[in-house]
PDB file of all heavy atoms in Angstrom:
ATOM      1  N   ILE B 145      80.317 101.529  82.303  1.00  0.00           N
ATOM      2  CA  ILE B 145      81.054 100.891  81.221  1.00  0.00           C
ATOM      3  C   ILE B 145      80.376  99.588  80.826  1.00  0.00           C
ATOM      4  O   ILE B 145      80.944  98.757  80.145  1.00  0.00           O
ATOM      5  CB  ILE B 145      82.514 100.615  81.647  1.00  0.00           C
ATOM      6  CG1 ILE B 145      82.540  99.815  82.950  1.00  0.00           C
ATOM      7  CG2 ILE B 145      83.293 101.889  81.809  1.00  0.00           C
ATOM      8  CD1 ILE B 145      83.905  99.300  83.317  1.00  0.00           C
ATOM      9  N   GLU B 146      79.130  99.393  81.255  1.00  0.00           N
ATOM     10  CA  GLU B 146      78.475  98.106  81.012  1.00  0.00           C
ATOM     11  C   GLU B 146      77.638  98.155  79.738  1.00  0.00           C
ATOM     12  O   GLU B 146      77.935  98.890  78.821  1.00  0.00           O
ATOM     13  CB  GLU B 146      77.605  97.738  82.224  1.00  0.00           C
ATOM     14  CG  GLU B 146      78.375  97.580  83.527  1.00  0.00           C
ATOM     15  CD  GLU B 146      78.602  98.900  84.241  1.00  0.00           C
ATOM     16  OE1 GLU B 146      77.981  99.906  83.841  1.00  0.00           O
ATOM     17  OE2 GLU B 146      79.400  98.937  85.192  1.00  0.00           O
ATOM     18  N   ARG B 147      76.559  97.397  79.750  1.00  0.00           N
ATOM     19  CA  ARG B 147      75.720  97.232  78.575  1.00  0.00           C
ATOM     20  C   ARG B 147      75.265  98.563  77.984  1.00  0.00           C
ATOM     21  O   ARG B 147      75.254  98.734  76.766  1.00  0.00           O
ATOM     22  CB  ARG B 147      74.523  96.370  78.969  1.00  0.00           C
ATOM     23  CG  ARG B 147      73.635  95.995  77.810  1.00  0.00           C
ATOM     24  CD  ARG B 147      74.414  95.207  76.776  1.00  0.00           C
ATOM     25  NE  ARG B 147      73.513  94.498  75.905  1.00  0.00           N
ATOM     26  CZ  ARG B 147      72.863  93.403  76.237  1.00  0.00           C
ATOM     27  NH1 ARG B 147      73.019  92.877  77.435  1.00  0.00           N
ATOM     28  NH2 ARG B 147      72.057  92.819  75.413  1.00  0.00           N
ATOM     29  N   GLY B 148      74.873  99.489  78.849  1.00  0.00           N
ATOM     30  CA  GLY B 148      74.402 100.781  78.358  1.00  0.00           C
ATOM     31  C   GLY B 148      75.441 101.456  77.487  1.00  0.00           C
ATOM     32  O   GLY B 148      75.129 102.000  76.430  1.00  0.00           O
ATOM     33  N   PHE B 149      76.687 101.371  77.904  1.00  0.00           N
ATOM     34  CA  PHE B 149      77.766 101.971  77.110  1.00  0.00           C
ATOM     35  C   PHE B 149      77.977 101.199  75.816  1.00  0.00           C
ATOM     36  O   PHE B 149      78.130 101.796  74.743  1.00  0.00           O
ATOM     37  CB  PHE B 149      79.066 102.027  77.924  1.00  0.00           C
ATOM     38  CG  PHE B 149      80.267 102.315  77.091  1.00  0.00           C
ATOM     39  CD1 PHE B 149      80.472 103.580  76.565  1.00  0.00           C
ATOM     40  CD2 PHE B 149      81.188 101.317  76.805  1.00  0.00           C
ATOM     41  CE1 PHE B 149      81.566 103.850  75.774  1.00  0.00           C
ATOM     42  CE2 PHE B 149      82.286 101.573  76.012  1.00  0.00           C
ATOM     43  CZ  PHE B 149      82.477 102.841  75.495  1.00  0.00           C
ATOM     44  N   SER B 150      77.958  99.859  75.894  1.00  0.00           N
ATOM     45  CA  SER B 150      78.186  99.110  74.651  1.00  0.00           C
ATOM     46  C   SER B 150      77.038  99.322  73.672  1.00  0.00           C
ATOM     47  O   SER B 150      77.262  99.362  72.466  1.00  0.00           O
ATOM     48  CB  SER B 150      78.442  97.622  74.897  1.00  0.00           C
ATOM     49  OG  SER B 150      77.899  97.186  76.086  1.00  0.00           O
ATOM     50  N   ASN B 151      75.805  99.463  74.183  1.00  0.00           N
ATOM     51  CA  ASN B 151      74.681  99.788  73.296  1.00  0.00           C
ATOM     52  C   ASN B 151      74.899 101.144  72.633  1.00  0.00           C
ATOM     53  O   ASN B 151      74.751 101.283  71.421  1.00  0.00           O
ATOM     54  CB  ASN B 151      73.378  99.841  74.091  1.00  0.00           C
ATOM     55  CG  ASN B 151      72.847  98.446  74.399  1.00  0.00           C
ATOM     56  OD1 ASN B 151      73.238  97.477  73.766  1.00  0.00           O
ATOM     57  ND2 ASN B 151      71.959  98.356  75.372  1.00  0.00           N
ATOM     58  N   ALA B 152      75.255 102.138  73.453  1.00  0.00           N
ATOM     59  CA  ALA B 152      75.373 103.504  72.940  1.00  0.00           C
ATOM     60  C   ALA B 152      76.477 103.615  71.899  1.00  0.00           C
ATOM     61  O   ALA B 152      76.368 104.358  70.930  1.00  0.00           O
ATOM     62  CB  ALA B 152      75.628 104.473  74.083  1.00  0.00           C
ATOM     63  N   SER B 153      77.569 102.858  72.103  1.00  0.00           N
ATOM     64  CA  SER B 153      78.709 103.006  71.202  1.00  0.00           C
ATOM     65  C   SER B 153      78.644 102.039  70.023  1.00  0.00           C
ATOM     66  O   SER B 153      79.462 102.144  69.107  1.00  0.00           O
ATOM     67  CB  SER B 153      80.011 102.809  71.975  1.00  0.00           C
ATOM     68  OG  SER B 153      80.005 101.554  72.604  1.00  0.00           O
ATOM     69  N   ALA B 154      77.675 101.128  70.026  1.00  0.00           N
ATOM     70  CA  ALA B 154      77.646 100.064  69.009  1.00  0.00           C
ATOM     71  C   ALA B 154      77.625 100.608  67.592  1.00  0.00           C
ATOM     72  O   ALA B 154      78.314 100.086  66.712  1.00  0.00           O
ATOM     73  CB  ALA B 154      76.454  99.147  69.245  1.00  0.00           C
ATOM     74  N   GLY B 155      76.829 101.666  67.363  1.00  0.00           N
ATOM     75  CA  GLY B 155      76.692 102.153  65.992  1.00  0.00           C
ATOM     76  C   GLY B 155      77.561 103.354  65.691  1.00  0.00           C
ATOM     77  O   GLY B 155      77.468 103.939  64.614  1.00  0.00           O
ATOM     78  N   ALA B 156      78.428 103.744  66.639  1.00  0.00           N
ATOM     79  CA  ALA B 156      79.143 105.014  66.510  1.00  0.00           C
ATOM     80  C   ALA B 156      80.390 104.891  65.657  1.00  0.00           C
ATOM     81  O   ALA B 156      81.090 103.878  65.713  1.00  0.00           O
ATOM     82  CB  ALA B 156      79.516 105.544  67.880  1.00  0.00           C
ATOM     83  N   ASP B 157      80.676 105.938  64.842  1.00  0.00           N
ATOM     84  CA  ASP B 157      81.981 105.975  64.196  1.00  0.00           C
ATOM     85  C   ASP B 157      82.901 107.005  64.818  1.00  0.00           C
ATOM     86  O   ASP B 157      84.082 107.037  64.520  1.00  0.00           O
ATOM     87  CB  ASP B 157      81.884 106.233  62.676  1.00  0.00           C
ATOM     88  CG  ASP B 157      80.534 106.622  62.199  1.00  0.00           C
ATOM     89  OD1 ASP B 157      80.083 107.742  62.516  1.00  0.00           O
ATOM     90  OD2 ASP B 157      79.912 105.800  61.530  1.00  0.00           O
ATOM     91  N   GLU B 158      82.355 107.850  65.687  1.00  0.00           N
ATOM     92  CA  GLU B 158      83.185 108.828  66.384  1.00  0.00           C
ATOM     93  C   GLU B 158      82.723 108.887  67.834  1.00  0.00           C
ATOM     94  O   GLU B 158      81.615 108.458  68.146  1.00  0.00           O
ATOM     95  CB  GLU B 158      83.017 110.234  65.786  1.00  0.00           C
ATOM     96  CG  GLU B 158      83.438 110.380  64.350  1.00  0.00           C
ATOM     97  CD  GLU B 158      83.045 111.751  63.808  1.00  0.00           C
ATOM     98  OE1 GLU B 158      83.197 112.749  64.551  1.00  0.00           O
ATOM     99  OE2 GLU B 158      82.570 111.815  62.676  1.00  0.00           O
ATOM    100  N   ALA B 159      83.563 109.466  68.679  1.00  0.00           N
ATOM    101  CA  ALA B 159      83.166 109.604  70.078  1.00  0.00           C
ATOM    102  C   ALA B 159      83.550 110.982  70.594  1.00  0.00           C
ATOM    103  O   ALA B 159      84.577 111.540  70.202  1.00  0.00           O
ATOM    104  CB  ALA B 159      83.823 108.529  70.930  1.00  0.00           C
ATOM    105  N   ILE B 160      82.692 111.507  71.451  1.00  0.00           N
ATOM    106  CA  ILE B 160      83.032 112.707  72.214  1.00  0.00           C
ATOM    107  C   ILE B 160      83.038 112.289  73.670  1.00  0.00           C
ATOM    108  O   ILE B 160      82.044 111.766  74.181  1.00  0.00           O
ATOM    109  CB  ILE B 160      82.008 113.837  71.985  1.00  0.00           C
ATOM    110  CG1 ILE B 160      82.065 114.332  70.536  1.00  0.00           C
ATOM    111  CG2 ILE B 160      82.254 115.001  72.959  1.00  0.00           C
ATOM    112  CD1 ILE B 160      81.022 115.387  70.198  1.00  0.00           C
ATOM    113  N   VAL B 161      84.192 112.451  74.311  1.00  0.00           N
ATOM    114  CA  VAL B 161      84.290 112.125  75.728  1.00  0.00           C
ATOM    115  C   VAL B 161      84.163 113.427  76.518  1.00  0.00           C
ATOM    116  O   VAL B 161      84.898 114.379  76.273  1.00  0.00           O
ATOM    117  CB  VAL B 161      85.620 111.419  76.048  1.00  0.00           C
ATOM    118  CG1 VAL B 161      85.790 111.232  77.547  1.00  0.00           C
ATOM    119  CG2 VAL B 161      85.690 110.078  75.339  1.00  0.00           C
ATOM    120  N   VAL B 162      83.190 113.452  77.412  1.00  0.00           N
ATOM    121  CA  VAL B 162      82.976 114.633  78.241  1.00  0.00           C
ATOM    122  C   VAL B 162      83.599 114.362  79.610  1.00  0.00           C
ATOM    123  O   VAL B 162      83.411 113.296  80.186  1.00  0.00           O
ATOM    124  CB  VAL B 162      81.465 114.929  78.408  1.00  0.00           C
ATOM    125  CG1 VAL B 162      81.247 116.197  79.229  1.00  0.00           C
ATOM    126  CG2 VAL B 162      80.789 115.067  77.052  1.00  0.00           C
ATOM    127  N   THR B 163      84.360 115.317  80.106  1.00  0.00           N
ATOM    128  CA  THR B 163      84.894 115.167  81.463  1.00  0.00           C
ATOM    129  C   THR B 163      84.867 116.515  82.150  1.00  0.00           C
ATOM    130  O   THR B 163      84.767 117.555  81.509  1.00  0.00           O
ATOM    131  CB  THR B 163      86.329 114.601  81.449  1.00  0.00           C
ATOM    132  OG1 THR B 163      86.715 114.309  82.809  1.00  0.00           O
ATOM    133  CG2 THR B 163      87.332 115.582  80.864  1.00  0.00           C
ATOM    134  N   THR B 164      84.917 116.484  83.464  1.00  0.00           N
ATOM    135  CA  THR B 164      85.124 117.707  84.230  1.00  0.00           C
ATOM    136  C   THR B 164      86.569 117.669  84.724  1.00  0.00           C
ATOM    137  O   THR B 164      87.162 116.594  84.780  1.00  0.00           O
ATOM    138  CB  THR B 164      84.158 117.783  85.424  1.00  0.00           C
ATOM    139  OG1 THR B 164      84.273 116.586  86.190  1.00  0.00           O
ATOM    140  CG2 THR B 164      82.719 117.938  84.958  1.00  0.00           C
ATOM    141  N   PRO B 165      87.149 118.813  85.071  1.00  0.00           N
ATOM    142  CA  PRO B 165      88.566 118.769  85.442  1.00  0.00           C
ATOM    143  C   PRO B 165      88.797 118.284  86.871  1.00  0.00           C
ATOM    144  O   PRO B 165      89.489 118.937  87.632  1.00  0.00           O
ATOM    145  CB  PRO B 165      89.033 120.223  85.275  1.00  0.00           C
ATOM    146  CG  PRO B 165      87.828 121.020  84.952  1.00  0.00           C
ATOM    147  CD  PRO B 165      86.626 120.178  85.071  1.00  0.00           C
ATOM    148  N   ASP B 166      88.199 117.168  87.261  1.00  0.00           N
ATOM    149  CA  ASP B 166      88.542 116.620  88.574  1.00  0.00           C
ATOM    150  C   ASP B 166      89.007 115.182  88.420  1.00  0.00           C
ATOM    151  O   ASP B 166      88.665 114.499  87.465  1.00  0.00           O
ATOM    152  CB  ASP B 166      87.377 116.729  89.563  1.00  0.00           C
ATOM    153  CG  ASP B 166      86.115 116.087  89.070  1.00  0.00           C
ATOM    154  OD1 ASP B 166      85.359 116.772  88.351  1.00  0.00           O
ATOM    155  OD2 ASP B 166      85.901 114.908  89.382  1.00  0.00           O
ATOM    156  N   VAL B 167      89.799 114.736  89.394  1.00  0.00           N
ATOM    157  CA  VAL B 167      90.538 113.482  89.222  1.00  0.00           C
ATOM    158  C   VAL B 167      89.636 112.279  88.999  1.00  0.00           C
ATOM    159  O   VAL B 167      89.954 111.407  88.193  1.00  0.00           O
ATOM    160  CB  VAL B 167      91.504 113.208  90.402  1.00  0.00           C
ATOM    161  CG1 VAL B 167      92.763 114.018  90.235  1.00  0.00           C
ATOM    162  CG2 VAL B 167      90.851 113.497  91.732  1.00  0.00           C
ATOM    163  N   SER B 168      88.486 112.232  89.675  1.00  0.00           N
ATOM    164  CA  SER B 168      87.646 111.045  89.512  1.00  0.00           C
ATOM    165  C   SER B 168      87.032 111.005  88.121  1.00  0.00           C
ATOM    166  O   SER B 168      86.975 109.952  87.490  1.00  0.00           O
ATOM    167  CB  SER B 168      86.582 110.977  90.608  1.00  0.00           C
ATOM    168  OG  SER B 168      85.887 112.188  90.683  1.00  0.00           O
ATOM    169  N   ALA B 169      86.578 112.148  87.629  1.00  0.00           N
ATOM    170  CA  ALA B 169      86.010 112.185  86.277  1.00  0.00           C
ATOM    171  C   ALA B 169      87.072 111.840  85.245  1.00  0.00           C
ATOM    172  O   ALA B 169      86.800 111.154  84.261  1.00  0.00           O
ATOM    173  CB  ALA B 169      85.422 113.560  85.995  1.00  0.00           C
ATOM    174  N   ILE B 170      88.298 112.305  85.488  1.00  0.00           N
ATOM    175  CA  ILE B 170      89.360 112.067  84.524  1.00  0.00           C
ATOM    176  C   ILE B 170      89.786 110.607  84.510  1.00  0.00           C
ATOM    177  O   ILE B 170      90.019 110.022  83.461  1.00  0.00           O
ATOM    178  CB  ILE B 170      90.539 113.018  84.796  1.00  0.00           C
ATOM    179  CG1 ILE B 170      90.127 114.402  84.289  1.00  0.00           C
ATOM    180  CG2 ILE B 170      91.808 112.561  84.083  1.00  0.00           C
ATOM    181  CD1 ILE B 170      91.001 115.502  84.696  1.00  0.00           C
ATOM    182  N   ARG B 171      89.812 109.978  85.681  1.00  0.00           N
ATOM    183  CA  ARG B 171      90.146 108.559  85.683  1.00  0.00           C
ATOM    184  C   ARG B 171      89.086 107.765  84.908  1.00  0.00           C
ATOM    185  O   ARG B 171      89.395 106.865  84.133  1.00  0.00           O
ATOM    186  CB  ARG B 171      90.262 108.027  87.103  1.00  0.00           C
ATOM    187  CG  ARG B 171      90.651 106.558  87.075  1.00  0.00           C
ATOM    188  CD  ARG B 171      90.581 105.921  88.399  1.00  0.00           C
ATOM    189  NE  ARG B 171      91.708 106.315  89.231  1.00  0.00           N
ATOM    190  CZ  ARG B 171      91.927 105.783  90.434  1.00  0.00           C
ATOM    191  NH1 ARG B 171      91.124 104.893  90.921  1.00  0.00           N
ATOM    192  NH2 ARG B 171      92.959 106.176  91.144  1.00  0.00           N
ATOM    193  N   ASP B 172      87.805 108.118  85.115  1.00  0.00           N
ATOM    194  CA  ASP B 172      86.741 107.405  84.417  1.00  0.00           C
ATOM    195  C   ASP B 172      86.793 107.696  82.917  1.00  0.00           C
ATOM    196  O   ASP B 172      86.561 106.806  82.099  1.00  0.00           O
ATOM    197  CB  ASP B 172      85.370 107.793  84.990  1.00  0.00           C
ATOM    198  CG  ASP B 172      85.190 107.266  86.400  1.00  0.00           C
ATOM    199  OD1 ASP B 172      86.122 106.615  86.897  1.00  0.00           O
ATOM    200  OD2 ASP B 172      84.132 107.487  87.003  1.00  0.00           O
ATOM    201  N   ALA B 173      87.113 108.940  82.566  1.00  0.00           N
ATOM    202  CA  ALA B 173      87.250 109.289  81.150  1.00  0.00           C
ATOM    203  C   ALA B 173      88.374 108.470  80.528  1.00  0.00           C
ATOM    204  O   ALA B 173      88.246 107.948  79.420  1.00  0.00           O
ATOM    205  CB  ALA B 173      87.526 110.780  80.992  1.00  0.00           C
ATOM    206  N   ASP B 174      89.465 108.327  81.263  1.00  0.00           N
ATOM    207  CA  ASP B 174      90.604 107.557  80.799  1.00  0.00           C
ATOM    208  C   ASP B 174      90.195 106.107  80.544  1.00  0.00           C
ATOM    209  O   ASP B 174      90.562 105.497  79.535  1.00  0.00           O
ATOM    210  CB  ASP B 174      91.696 107.632  81.863  1.00  0.00           C
ATOM    211  CG  ASP B 174      93.018 107.099  81.372  1.00  0.00           C
ATOM    212  OD1 ASP B 174      93.400 107.462  80.251  1.00  0.00           O
ATOM    213  OD2 ASP B 174      93.656 106.326  82.097  1.00  0.00           O
ATOM    214  N   ARG B 175      89.405 105.571  81.479  1.00  0.00           N
ATOM    215  CA  ARG B 175      88.909 104.196  81.342  1.00  0.00           C
ATOM    216  C   ARG B 175      88.058 104.058  80.080  1.00  0.00           C
ATOM    217  O   ARG B 175      88.227 103.127  79.300  1.00  0.00           O
ATOM    218  CB  ARG B 175      88.091 103.848  82.590  1.00  0.00           C
ATOM    219  CG  ARG B 175      87.399 102.506  82.546  1.00  0.00           C
ATOM    220  CD  ARG B 175      88.353 101.406  82.957  1.00  0.00           C
ATOM    221  NE  ARG B 175      87.666 100.161  83.188  1.00  0.00           N
ATOM    222  CZ  ARG B 175      87.834  99.077  82.446  1.00  0.00           C
ATOM    223  NH1 ARG B 175      88.655  99.097  81.426  1.00  0.00           N
ATOM    224  NH2 ARG B 175      87.204  97.964  82.727  1.00  0.00           N
TER     225      ARG B 175
END
Side-chain angles (χ1 to χ4, degrees):
Chain B
I145 54 170
E146 299 84 11
R147 186 60 162 284
F149 166 72
S150 24
N151 282 342
S153 57
D157 10 70
E158 297 172 41
I160 294 176
V161 173
V162 182
T163 188
T164 53
D166 56 274
V167 280
S168 51
I170 285 168
R171 182 189 285 186
D172 291 0
D174 191 46
R175 174 83 168 114

